[in-house]
Amino acid sequence: MQIGIEQKQTQSQVLGQQLQQALFLLKMNALELNDYLGGMVVENPVLEMTEPENLFGNAGAFRVRMGTDVSQAGQSGGVRSNEGFFEIADSEGLKDELLQQLDIRGLEPKELLAAKTIIDSLDDRSYFTEPLSEIERLCDASAEQVQKALEAVQSLDPVGVGARSLQESLKLQLERRQVQDPCVYKILEGFLEELAHAKYAAIAAKLHISVRRVKEYAQLIKSLWPGVSNDAKREEIQYVYPEITIVRNGDDLEVQLDERRLPKLTINPEYRKAAEQDKAAKDYLKEQYIKANRIVSSLELWKTMLRRVAEKIVTVQKPFFLEEKPLAPMRLADLAEELGVNVSTVSRAVAGKYLICDRGVFSLKHFFVRSLPTSQEKPVSSDYVHEAIRELLEKDSSLSDSAMTRLLNERGINIARRTVAKYRMKMGIAPVYRRKQKV
């Protein structure tokens, strides 16, 4: 009985170590993978590595400036050339920082899972725009647990992360500054539009305060940042290359993982002979062989999972690649369910990875967009609404947010005016009164 129990525990430990190693490698992009495996080869005498034939291949190097907007870059072709390189976006650095801070918050397991899911769902301004009920469903957590998770995320630095709206982002920043004047919070909740139009007298009359005080509040609010990406600009440059190449053959798309850019690992069998001759080194070399096999298997899993994820992305987003259509709704959870893996596995597989196609270079996370309810048979994505807004303004640049909302509703897209305003701002389009001033 005792022997059986010990054997089962040993098998479980080995499986756990293998899984941990595979998940650790899976979150790396190819450049990080090359560096890490190179270090492992130095440490492990039985592990040998053949350097990639051509790390950057024919696609060239890609320079990543932290803090830029991958979605806007993608809409304009994905990349912008600069001195032979290409500037694209990456927000993984900030998310990694948030996850590191989260580990010391003392959350319960389900609260921690929910908080990590919220961080993974943050948009380019680090806003959390998904319904809390979706996090409850994904994490099998209660409303109370998810609320606590959201509060934990909103307590992280930089301040404003996890806000669900512009108002909440500004409110979190004021609270972090320990601003207690209730009037400034009233302006955030109900008078931001008037403030943007400098209607100080109207605000003063409704709040029964002086115009001078309203102007003071306006200066305070203007000192805040509308989104975390503005407050945490990063000049750090990272160099990446697309792990995936999408090749078009007529109406077919082929997903290629160029293994010439990846290291090749082998295990040197000669040390087995040495272990037989030197009993003192036997235990050490046995351990190194176990570690080497674990790393080789994990590398194969990295390649397999990345290829499977890319193939699913191409299947769902085929009109994007072939016809330059807007992205279709797609969630990490949906892809995880189709692949039969945990959503965190898919999240690791897409983290920091890029693909190159006829339209440019895109982060794999660029292809995951939320869906919006419609009266049509199929839901549409936020990317589809972006394109619809752009088309409406190309036909009539004088359209207000309310007018665009009405036109989109007539198309069967159930969207609120504040959501249209949010998308318009995200696209860098000025409000109607400023557009009219330029005419």
Side-chain angles (χ1 to χ4, degrees), residues 141-210:
S142 67
E144 183 180 355
Q145 289 170 323
V146 172
Q147 182 60 39
K148 190 172 181 179
L150 179 62
E151 291 171 359
V153 172
Q154 291 180 344
S155 72
L156 305 178
D157 290 318
V159 60
V161 67
R164 286 168 287 181
S165 64
L166 172 62
Q167 285 90 341
E168 188 171 32
S169 176
L170 301 178
K171 181 172 178 283
L172 290 170
Q173 294 173 61
L174 289 174
E175 289 175 343
R176 193 74 66 91
R177 294 188 187 185
Q178 297 184 336
V179 176
Q180 298 179 355
D181 191 328
C183 283
V184 69
Y185 292 103
K186 288 180 181 178
I187 292 174
L188 286 184
E189 292 171 4
F191 300 99
L192 275 186
E193 191 168 342
E194 288 87 344
L195 198 67
H197 292 80
K199 295 181 179 180
Y200 303 132
I203 298 173
K206 291 179 180 179
L207 294 179
H208 306 291
I209 58 177
S210 67

Side-chain angles (χ1 to χ4, degrees), residues 29 62 64 68-75 77-79 87-92 95 240-244 306 309-310 313 317 320-321 327 330 332 347 349-357 360-369:
N29 61 36
F62 294 85
V64 177
T68 50
D69 185 352
V70 71
S71 61
Q72 291 179 2
Q75 290 165 0
V79 297
E87 292 185 4
I88 51 184
D90 183 26
S91 60
E92 295 308 312
K95 289 189 177 181
V240 301
Y241 71 88
E243 288 84 0
I244 299 293
L306 184 55
V309 167
I313 288 174
Q317 306 296 1
F320 172 88
F321 294 103
L327 293 171
M330 183 167 66
L332 290 172
S347 180
V350 302
K353 318 292 195 309
Y354 295 85
L355 66 76
I356 185 169
C357 62
V361 175
F362 299 88
S363 163
L364 293 189
K365 282 201 171 182
H366 173 69
F367 297 96
F368 293 89
V369 291

